[in-house]
Amino acid sequence: MIPGDHPRAESLARRELLVRGWREGIVSTQGLVAHGRGETFDYLLGEESTPPAQEAEMAAAAALLLGDPVVSVNGNAAALAPGELVELSGTFGAPLEVNLFHRSEERIERIADHLRENGAREVLGLDGDAEIPGLSHGRGIVDGEGIYSADTVLVPLEDGDRTRALVDMGKTVLAIDLNPMSRTSVAASVAVVDELTRAVPKVTNHGKGMKRREARRVLGEFDSAENRAEVLRHMRRRLGELAD
Ligand code: ATP
């Protein structure tokens, strides 16, 4: 039981969701470790959506609106934000595809069930009938009607190699990753450096009010490398303030 007045109650609640997801076979053991790395970066960012992150969230919404998108869902994302991902999927007409780094048929089924329990009508990724070129050991297995054929893919918490491989296929890749220096953030067309449960509803809300013309302008003006640099400057300023 997490006391509601605990100063870091939200972060602790996310940990609980992850642990519950791990017990239910949704989250991999490696996923718990990856979450810890994310928490560290979130601490450095002040555990809030920074101004550059909010700009990137707007650009991600624009890309989802203009593209033919699919959302890649792994165990951590499903455990942390199932309802939020279902809402985003409905808003942008972007199917959810279960796509795991540590692939196991059983875990894919559990994640798909969990998404359906949270309102998803259709979940892709159960067939795994296509492959992203250039990735070994089955890490590139995807759905031929999902990630393989989409022109835009939202990858919350993805591995750098797979992000790069999707970009090399000519796709617009939108990442949500708290580490502005990860290979994922560097390779992505739009890197949203923010915590997943904060970022997903913001992207959805931006999309609800956005017109295509505005989306084209927002995306045209967005520079992901400059945005990541601004996140790093934000971190540096924060560390400087804490040190003084
Ligand atoms: P890369 O291969 O992209 O260089 P990595 O090997 O560091 O990255 P992984 O272990 O594949 O990364 O994935 C974990 C990534 O997800 C980390 O960069 C971590 O900061 C991020 N992350 C973990 N939890 C969250 C979360 N809740 N919200 C956003 N990002 C998160």
Side-chain angles (χ1 to χ4, degrees), residues 133-189:
L135 293 172
S136 58
H137 308 299
R139 289 186 303 127
I141 295 175
V142 286
D143 197 311
E145 299 199 340
I147 290 175
Y148 188 81
S149 43
D151 65 8
T152 303
V153 187
L154 174 64
V155 290
L157 326 184
E158 185 53 283
D159 162 73
D161 274 6
R162 298 207 304 183
T163 306
R164 167 55 57 201
L166 290 170
V167 170
D168 288 346
M169 283 178 85
K171 298 179 191 300
T172 299
V173 180
L174 319 169
I176 299 176
D177 187 333
L178 278 159
N179 178 0
M181 292 165 280
S182 74
R183 291 170 308 148
T184 296
S185 293
V186 173
S189 325

